[in-house]
Amino acid sequence: MNATHRSALVNFDSLLRIFTIPEGPDSTLTQIEEKLSGNLNEFLKEAIVAEEKPLSEIEHRFANAHIPEMPEFVSEHTEHLMDNLVAHSVHTAAPSFIGHMTSALPYYLMPLSKIMIALNQNLVKIETSKAFTPLERQVLGMMHNLVYQQDEPFYQRWMHSAQHSLGAFCSGGTIANITALWVARNKLFAPCEGFGGVTQDGMVAALRHYGFDDTAILVSSRGHYSLSKSADVLGIGRKNVIAIDTDEHNKLSIPALKLQLEELKQNNIRPLAVVGIAGTTETGNVDPLDEIAAVCQQHQIHFHVDAAWGGATLMSNQYRHLLKGIEQADSVTIDAHKQLYIPMGAGLVVFKNPNDMTSVEHHAAYILRKGSKDLGAHTLEGSRSGMAMLLYSSMHIISRPGYELLINQSIEKAHYFAKLIKDHPDFELVTEPELCLLTYRFVPAFVQQKLRVANLQEKQRINSLLNDFTIALQKRQRENGRSFVSRTTLNPHQYHQQSINVFRVVLANPLTTEAILDSIITEQQELGQEFGYFMDKLRCLCK
Amino acid sequence: MNATHRSALVNFDSLLRIFTIPEGPDSTLTQIEEKLSGNLNEFLKEAIVAEEKPLSEIEHRFANAHIPEMPEFVSEHTEHLMDNLVAHSVHTAAPSFIGHMTSALPYYLMPLSKIMIALNQNLVKIETSKAFTPLERQVLGMMHNLVYQQDEPFYQRWMHSAQHSLGAFCSGGTIANITALWVARNKLFAPCEGFGGVTQDGMVAALRHYGFDDTAILVSSRGHYSLSKSADVLGIGRKNVIAIDTDEHNKLSIPALKLQLEELKQNNIRPLAVVGIAGTTETGNVDPLDEIAAVCQQHQIHFHVDAAWGGATLMSNQYRHLLKGIEQADSVTIDAHKQLYIPMGAGLVVFKNPNDMTSVEHHAAYILRKGSKDLGAHTLEGSRSGMAMLLYSSMHIISRPGYELLINQSIEKAHYFAKLIKDHPDFELVTEPELCLLTYRFVPAFVQQKLRVANLQEKQRINSLLNDFTIALQKRQRENGRSFVSRTTLNPHQYHQQSINVFRVVLANPLTTEAILDSIITEQQELGQEFGYFMDKLRCLCK
């Protein structure tokens, strides 16, 4: 293509053409789309997790900080994307990519997403989302129902009420958690005679008015990092996120919680929320939600549950009981882009009490007027896309029993994998799966034998070496590109709180078979044996 | 379809099928997609802005709070969406929908969005977004370059630096503004000897440590409501957003700003940011950014520019000067889903100083490790989609000169419309367009004559009636469905700060022709004459 062709695009008539509807099945755009779909399918069919190219080499292709002065043809640019972007993307949908919460998606979401993109509704106000607003309110109602199971009149009364929101749909769990804690903070430091509330007057005036020295958020030491971020953003301070000890199953210890609440009281620090976790990010455990609820009720503290990942378990009648007590929470975060199998960018929070969100209500002159049904009056975000539609569609196409099957098989697969690890002489299961997440590490049989009899100092020395080994092995496995597990650092009871690096897997992808899990263990075992340096050092330490 | 068919879907094998790649061009899913595309095109071709159905009737279709127990076929559900959702959606892309900042989108974004949805990358960490992370860093570099125009070595040094981010891509302008003010707050109340910083210790400790009585954000009275929301969220308090008076062109008054800064100093209140607006939401004006920058420099205050809407003007070499001084801002918010023509859910903030975002940096054990290039270490959001890709593509396909044409024609169209209104005896232009936004109202010629000679009390009485008239007319026009303008309330100098309801139009849609603008004025004029009640009352008042 020559410069004349290119410069031809930069006139207003040709620009207008890109904004108008392509005609028929033979249009260039339709052809590009077909080719693109084919290429994407090729990519998704590949067994490889990621083509291993050094990051610096990929960065080299994205190094130009200038906005182009010459236009590209769509066809030309699509090729460019296939070669430079798609080819080097991570295949998060691969059945052997079991390291993170990103999974394969139902295929019908690809065509249905078109509706969302083409209609380009803005959910902040009903003027730009007429049918999408009722739809999103229904989705929030359904998710509220999933958690709280209120009766029919409840939903008929509140779901479409202009003055209320049963929750907020947002881009993800972090915004959902911030929203929940924002509401909790504003409820606690509410306006009253002579005080405009923390919303109007800020944190300093709030504590002064209510006579507290400080405020705090309590969560187990396994809490997600978004909670500290929330405390930072909300002006509470990261140090005021009090980490409560866990028991040997990584669940919040109730005695420790009670003790901490006593201590805060003595120091005149008013807790603004206790956060229970339904599916910790690193070990997949669920806190004793019913017991936390009882403590919160006694102390009149907002009880928030971070079920960003584990919330989908409520779809399973068989496993719902694992989250018992969640229905007593004041607010619950659930990510639809995790185990509800919706594309990235779909989170939400629901509130038990339909009045709770009034504590963060806001208005403007040109939208969000009082009495309007604009969802934006209660959301942290402003302009928002119609993502709720995809959750709506999946709930209708998969249905609750379909989701139940997906959840059940993921939990059962985790139990299968755990057994595989336990039965293998060269691996150690570090945390048992409660939902579909578990952690483990490669520990050759002779090392395991030694660890059983070693003294504390020897154990620490061996674990320290194993930690480096785990990092090296995880990296090598990732670079090989056949499979991917993530890694994290835990402080397990069995190792006296020493920091232990572990592999972490999430078995959410329905396409991950038992055979794939077998092969991942075999691959890791073989890779492990190849690390002469670590194997020799371990042999030396275990003599 | 009978119950046997339906229940057949709820077994694991058929569920697996929805997660696997549809085979070839004859697959059911491909057929559904083709039909869907056709239907969407039909919808988008319609001249109607919205089919007028009472909202209550639409809500009736979204009233069930139960997650279905029976699955639906994709084909069946797609029909359901077309009938219940698409048919009653707002046609935000219609050339006569000139009320909000939502416009027609380039069509190539529909197929390209598929890449984003299908790859389902999570931008929080490089492990789930290998090529997307460098891409997003490049996009941030390009947008930084658009604003700050630093030299080549600057971008080569910082764009891909693991310890830095030139900004943050996010779901929209509100999150971008919160991010900017979060950074400004954390920079101001930074850690030092004996103090962990506001990030660790919270607002109360911060003010105590630095010895201030309070803090404040200064912005003109035309500031977007997200700034008050930011102050609420950040623990600063809405009342501490100080509204600075504007001049007769809705631009922040520098003398008023200086006076306010003096006053705050005397009251021991430390301003944490001054916000300049580049394109106010309601009148489209640009603050004197260079003068604000000088004041901020003198007082050592963070200078943030909310260019969510107007930032795209920087693409135009011809009109860039309207935003002069923006390159002196410490941070700038730009929405890509406004006049950069990207689908809903694409905003960003850039920071002049590559070190600024370290004030909000955070880490975790399993991701965002120190030294990683994970973008999540500096973002307010956690998991995020690959939306930056669409901006990347549009910058390549449209190119800067293409964007310039789009911007220029929108501004010229606004001038055309302004002239049309001024030349028409029955309309009054309330605010002149500076970019492509203007406000006006229907004021029959005889009322305009009277207003010119009326005393203050008479003026107020007439304006009060006109206010109700404007609301009624805007509503009737919307209900007719042929076109849509929004409305807001201003306090124009020419009416001595009386609240005046006005029509508000944004002429961003490239498909909006002069002929369409002519017809909108004709339609409004005719609709106006039909309101006997208001016309009679006005005649009576103007006797």
Side-chain angles (χ1 to χ4, degrees):
Chain A
M1 191 173 45
N2 56 41
T4 321
H5 263 98
R6 286 174 187 269
S7 63
L9 199 70
V10 190
N11 68 57
F12 195 60
D13 283 342
S14 46
L15 268 173
L16 276 187
R17 234 171 289 138
I18 65 172
F19 285 89
T20 52
I21 298 146
E23 289 300 330
D26 302 326
S27 72
T28 321
L29 205 59
T30 308
Q31 283 168 26
I32 291 171
E33 179 159 3
E34 269 170 28
K35 196 172 164 204
L36 179 67
S37 298
N39 284 336
L40 281 174
N41 285 349
E42 281 310 306
F43 172 82
L44 292 175
K45 264 182 206 158
E46 276 173 19
I48 286 177
V49 165
E51 191 181 323
E52 192 53 29
K53 273 252 193 273
L55 186 58
S56 57
E57 201 176 302
I58 300 177
E59 281 171 353
H60 193 70
R61 300 167 189 219
F62 297 99
N64 189 346
H66 289 91
I67 301 169
E69 286 288 322
M70 292 290 261
E72 282 175 21
F73 283 119
V74 177
S75 53
E76 178 187 22
H77 184 70
T78 307
E79 298 267 343
H80 166 82
L81 288 176
M82 290 309 302
D83 295 345
N84 293 282
L85 186 70
V86 177
H88 303 295
S89 285
V90 180
H91 188 356
T92 57
S96 59
F97 183 93
I98 57 172
H100 286 298
M101 290 160 175
T102 343
S103 151
L105 295 180
Y107 261 80
Y108 60 76
L109 288 174
M110 247 79 84
L112 291 189
S113 297
K114 265 196 175 172
I115 298 181
M116 179 180 80
I117 302 280
L119 264 50
N120 201 32
Q121 307 286 290
N122 183 350
L123 275 283
V124 73
K125 50 186 178 280
I126 207 152
E127 283 178 350
T128 50
S129 63
K130 189 153 179 199
F132 272 73
T133 291
L135 175 142
E136 185 168 294
R137 285 179 173 273
Q138 184 185 358
V139 168
L140 288 170
M142 286 168 139
M143 296 306 286
H144 189 283
N145 203 345
L146 180 69
V147 174
Y148 296 112
Q149 303 182 312
Q150 299 295 300
D151 59 13
E152 193 59 28
F154 177 93
Y155 294 103
Q156 293 319 312
R157 178 162 179 199
W158 303 115
M159 205 158 67
H160 291 289
S161 162
Q163 283 76 40
H164 301 84
S165 292
L166 292 177
F169 205 92
C170 57
S171 67
T174 297
I175 299 294
N177 279 339
I178 297 178
T179 302
L181 295 169
W182 180 30
V183 166
R185 193 199 67 182
N186 286 13
K187 265 170 60 193
L188 179 62
F189 301 123
C192 57
E193 187 69 33
F195 173 58
V198 63
T199 179
Q200 287 300 329
D201 297 354
M203 279 298 288
V204 179
L207 288 174
R208 194 187 304 136
H209 176 83
Y210 279 95
F212 299 117
D213 283 326
D214 220 331
T215 183
I217 296 166
L218 292 86
V219 63
S220 97
S221 49
R222 298 254 59 86
H224 188 257
Y225 73 93
S226 63
L227 299 168
S228 296
K229 184 156 59 170
S230 304
D232 178 354
V233 171
L234 293 167
I236 293 159
R238 286 164 182 269
K239 83 157 175 34
N240 292 319
V241 178
I242 315 277
I244 308 294
D245 282 343
T246 55
D247 63 17
E248 68 278 22
H249 301 298
N250 293 294
K251 291 164 182 281
L252 177 136
S253 152
I254 296 293
L257 173 65
K258 287 180 176 168
L259 213 64
Q260 189 62 64
L261 285 172
E262 270 317 308
E263 202 176 302
L264 290 175
K265 203 169 190 174
Q266 278 162 23
N267 292 320
N268 194 33
I269 297 172
R270 177 69 165 94
L272 78 82
V274 176
V275 181
I277 315 170
T280 67
T281 311
E282 292 167 280
T283 64
N285 297 106
V286 183
D287 282 337
L289 304 179
D290 46 356
E291 295 177 66
I292 301 177
V295 174
C296 285
Q297 196 141 32
Q298 193 198 331
H299 290 79
Q300 294 287 300
I301 305 174
H302 184 102
F303 176 31
H304 174 63
V305 173
D306 182 356
W309 173 61
T313 313
L314 296 169
M315 290 282 191
S316 164
N317 291 344
Q318 189 179 336
Y319 289 109
R320 186 183 168 96
H321 69 89
L322 292 175
L323 275 62
K324 71 174 186 301
I326 197 170
E327 72 288 350
Q328 295 175 62
D330 294 297
S331 54
V332 176
T333 286
I334 297 178
D335 259 341
H337 61 221
K338 295 200 168 95
Q339 235 180 324
L340 292 174
Y341 303 97
I342 302 301
M344 201 49 60
L348 59 95
V349 56
V350 285
F351 292 87
K352 185 172 198 169
N353 185 338
N355 287 308
D356 266 11
M357 292 207 91
T358 53
S359 66
V360 296
E361 195 170 297
H362 45 270
H363 300 280
Y366 67 108
I367 54 166
L368 316 182
R369 300 181 193 104
K370 282 193 183 168
S372 82
K373 301 212 171 181
D374 296 348
L375 285 160
H378 294 117
T379 55
L380 180 59
E381 292 167 291
S383 296
R384 277 185 311 111
S385 76
M387 281 294 281
M389 188 209 102
L390 300 182
L391 180 53
Y392 174 88
S393 292
S394 276
M395 287 199 286
H396 282 86
I397 293 170
I398 296 179
S399 81
R400 201 223 28 96
Y403 271 120
E404 164 146 24
L405 275 180
L406 292 170
I407 296 293
N408 293 357
Q409 62 85 27
S410 74
I411 293 176
E412 283 147 25
K413 210 180 294 172
H415 287 130
Y416 172 85
F417 197 45
K419 190 170 180 312
L420 203 66
I421 291 163
K422 278 196 279 195
D423 289 350
H424 197 295
D426 293 337
F427 285 89
E428 178 192 33
L429 187 69
V430 179
T431 59
E432 292 268 0
E434 186 172 352
L435 303 175
C436 70
L437 193 160
L438 58 86
T439 66
Y440 66 107
R441 57 180 185 163
F442 176 65
V443 187
F446 68 91
V447 183
Q448 292 193 40
Q449 271 167 11
K450 177 71 181 178
L451 276 171
R452 270 192 287 274
V453 297
N455 63 34
L456 188 63
Q457 209 182 7
E458 288 171 325
K459 270 188 190 168
Q460 286 178 342
R461 214 173 295 144
I462 294 170
N463 278 329
S464 178
L465 186 64
L466 284 172
N467 281 349
D468 292 342
F469 199 174
T470 303
I471 292 177
L473 211 158
Q474 189 259 357
K475 189 164 179 277
R476 177 77 56 88
Q477 182 182 4
R478 193 193 69 209
E479 286 170 357
N480 279 2
R482 283 203 299 277
S483 60
F484 173 76
V485 303
S486 60
R487 70 173 163 85
T488 192
T489 305
L490 301 176
N491 303 82
H493 278 245
Q494 64 265 40
Y495 290 114
H496 314 282
Q497 266 70 43
Q498 187 184 353
S499 289
I500 302 290
N501 290 343
V502 293
F503 304 132
R504 166 179 169 273
V505 301
V506 189
L507 297 170
N509 191 333
L511 304 177
T512 306
T513 59
E514 293 184 353
I516 289 173
L517 296 176
D518 294 346
S519 73
I520 287 175
I521 285 295
T522 306
E523 182 190 0
Q524 288 186 317
Q525 209 267 346
E526 287 169 4
L527 283 178
Q529 300 294 346
E530 284 170 19
F531 276 95
Y533 168 82
F534 284 110
M535 292 301 285
D536 289 351
K537 275 216 149 182
L538 281 171
R539 272 187 209 103
C540 184
L541 273 179
C542 296
K543 250 189 279 196
Chain B
M1 193 174 43
N2 57 41
T4 321
H5 263 97
R6 285 172 184 271
S7 62
L9 199 70
V10 189
N11 67 57
F12 195 60
D13 283 341
S14 46
L15 269 174
L16 277 187
R17 234 170 289 139
I18 64 172
F19 284 90
T20 51
I21 297 146
E23 290 298 328
D26 300 328
S27 74
T28 320
L29 205 59
T30 309
Q31 284 168 26
I32 290 172
E33 179 160 1
E34 270 171 25
K35 195 172 164 201
L36 180 67
S37 298
N39 284 336
L40 281 174
N41 284 349
E42 281 310 305
F43 172 82
L44 292 177
K45 265 181 207 159
E46 275 173 20
I48 286 176
V49 165
E51 191 181 322
E52 192 52 32
K53 275 251 192 270
L55 186 59
S56 57
E57 201 175 303
I58 300 176
E59 282 171 353
H60 194 69
R61 299 167 189 220
F62 297 97
N64 190 346
H66 290 91
I67 300 169
E69 286 288 323
M70 294 290 261
E72 281 176 22
F73 284 119
V74 177
S75 52
E76 180 186 21
H77 183 70
T78 308
E79 298 266 342
H80 166 82
L81 288 176
M82 290 309 302
D83 295 345
N84 292 282
L85 185 70
V86 177
H88 303 296
S89 286
V90 179
H91 188 357
T92 57
S96 59
F97 183 93
I98 57 171
H100 286 298
M101 289 160 177
T102 346
S103 150
L105 295 179
Y107 261 80
Y108 61 76
L109 289 173
M110 246 78 86
L112 291 188
S113 297
K114 265 196 177 172
I115 298 180
M116 178 179 81
I117 302 281
L119 264 49
N120 202 33
Q121 306 286 292
N122 183 350
L123 275 283
V124 74
K125 50 185 177 281
I126 207 152
E127 284 179 348
T128 50
S129 63
K130 190 155 176 196
F132 272 73
T133 291
L135 176 141
E136 186 169 293
R137 284 179 174 274
Q138 183 184 359
V139 168
L140 288 170
M142 286 168 139
M143 296 306 287
H144 189 282
N145 203 344
L146 180 68
V147 174
Y148 295 113
Q149 304 182 312
Q150 299 295 300
D151 59 13
E152 192 61 24
F154 177 93
Y155 293 104
Q156 292 318 313
R157 177 160 181 201
W158 303 114
M159 205 159 67
H160 292 290
S161 162
Q163 282 77 40
H164 302 83
S165 292
L166 291 177
F169 205 92
C170 58
S171 67
T174 296
I175 299 294
N177 280 340
I178 297 179
T179 302
L181 295 169
W182 180 30
V183 165
R185 193 200 65 183
N186 286 13
K187 266 171 58 191
L188 180 61
F189 301 122
C192 57
E193 187 68 34
F195 173 59
V198 63
T199 179
Q200 287 299 329
D201 297 354
M203 278 299 287
V204 178
L207 288 174
R208 195 186 304 135
H209 176 83
Y210 280 95
F212 299 118
D213 283 326
D214 219 331
T215 182
I217 296 166
L218 291 87
V219 61
S220 95
S221 50
R222 297 255 60 86
H224 188 256
Y225 73 93
S226 63
L227 298 168
S228 295
K229 183 155 60 168
S230 304
D232 177 354
V233 170
L234 293 167
I236 293 160
R238 286 165 182 269
K239 84 159 174 29
N240 292 319
V241 177
I242 315 277
I244 308 295
D245 282 344
T246 56
D247 62 17
E248 69 277 23
H249 301 299
N250 293 293
K251 292 165 182 281
L252 178 135
S253 151
I254 296 292
L257 173 65
K258 288 180 176 168
L259 212 64
Q260 188 62 63
L261 286 172
E262 271 315 307
E263 201 175 303
L264 290 175
K265 204 168 192 176
Q266 278 162 24
N267 291 318
N268 194 34
I269 298 172
R270 177 68 165 96
L272 77 82
V274 176
V275 181
I277 315 170
T280 66
T281 312
E282 292 167 278
T283 63
N285 297 106
V286 182
D287 282 337
L289 303 178
D290 46 356
E291 295 178 66
I292 302 178
V295 173
C296 284
Q297 197 140 31
Q298 191 197 334
H299 290 79
Q300 293 287 298
I301 305 173
H302 185 102
F303 175 32
H304 175 63
V305 172
D306 183 355
W309 173 63
T313 312
L314 296 170
M315 290 282 192
S316 164
N317 291 344
Q318 188 179 339
Y319 289 109
R320 189 186 162 96
H321 70 90
L322 292 175
L323 275 61
K324 71 174 186 299
I326 197 171
E327 71 287 350
Q328 296 177 62
D330 294 295
S331 54
V332 175
T333 287
I334 297 177
D335 260 340
H337 60 221
K338 296 202 166 95
Q339 234 179 324
L340 292 174
Y341 303 98
I342 302 301
M344 201 49 60
L348 60 93
V349 56
V350 285
F351 292 87
K352 184 173 198 168
N353 185 337
N355 287 307
D356 267 10
M357 291 207 94
T358 53
S359 66
V360 297
E361 195 171 296
H362 45 271
H363 299 282
Y366 68 108
I367 53 166
L368 316 182
R369 299 182 194 104
K370 281 191 183 169
S372 82
K373 301 213 172 181
D374 296 349
L375 286 159
H378 295 117
T379 55
L380 181 59
E381 292 168 289
S383 297
R384 276 184 313 109
S385 76
M387 281 295 282
M389 188 208 102
L390 300 182
L391 180 52
Y392 174 87
S393 293
S394 276
M395 287 198 288
H396 282 85
I397 293 171
I398 296 179
S399 80
R400 197 217 39 87
Y403 270 120
E404 164 146 23
L405 275 180
L406 292 170
I407 296 293
N408 293 357
Q409 61 86 25
S410 74
I411 294 176
E412 284 147 25
K413 211 181 294 173
H415 287 130
Y416 172 85
F417 197 45
K419 188 169 182 311
L420 205 65
I421 291 163
K422 279 196 278 194
D423 290 351
H424 197 295
D426 292 338
F427 287 88
E428 177 192 33
L429 187 68
V430 180
T431 59
E432 292 269 358
E434 188 172 351
L435 302 177
C436 70
L437 194 161
L438 59 85
T439 67
Y440 65 108
R441 57 180 185 164
F442 176 66
V443 187
F446 68 91
V447 183
Q448 293 192 41
Q449 272 167 11
K450 177 71 181 180
L451 276 173
R452 273 193 285 274
V453 296
N455 64 34
L456 187 63
Q457 208 181 11
E458 287 171 327
K459 272 187 188 166
Q460 287 178 339
R461 214 174 295 143
I462 294 170
N463 278 329
S464 178
L465 185 64
L466 284 172
N467 281 349
D468 293 342
F469 198 175
T470 303
I471 293 177
L473 211 158
Q474 189 259 0
K475 187 163 180 281
R476 176 77 56 88
Q477 184 181 5
R478 192 192 71 210
E479 286 170 357
N480 279 2
R482 283 202 299 276
S483 60
F484 173 78
V485 302
S486 60
R487 70 173 164 85
T488 193
T489 305
L490 300 176
N491 303 84
H493 278 245
Q494 65 264 42
Y495 291 114
H496 314 282
Q497 265 70 40
Q498 187 184 355
S499 289
I500 301 289
N501 290 344
V502 293
F503 304 132
R504 168 181 169 271
V505 301
V506 189
L507 297 171
N509 191 332
L511 304 178
T512 306
T513 59
E514 294 185 353
I516 289 171
L517 295 177
D518 295 345
S519 73
I520 288 174
I521 286 295
T522 307
E523 183 191 359
Q524 288 186 318
Q525 208 267 348
E526 286 169 5
L527 284 177
Q529 300 293 346
E530 283 169 19
F531 277 94
Y533 169 82
F534 285 111
M535 293 301 286
D536 288 350
K537 275 213 147 184
L538 280 172
R539 269 185 213 105
C540 184
L541 272 180
C542 296
K543 247 189 283 195

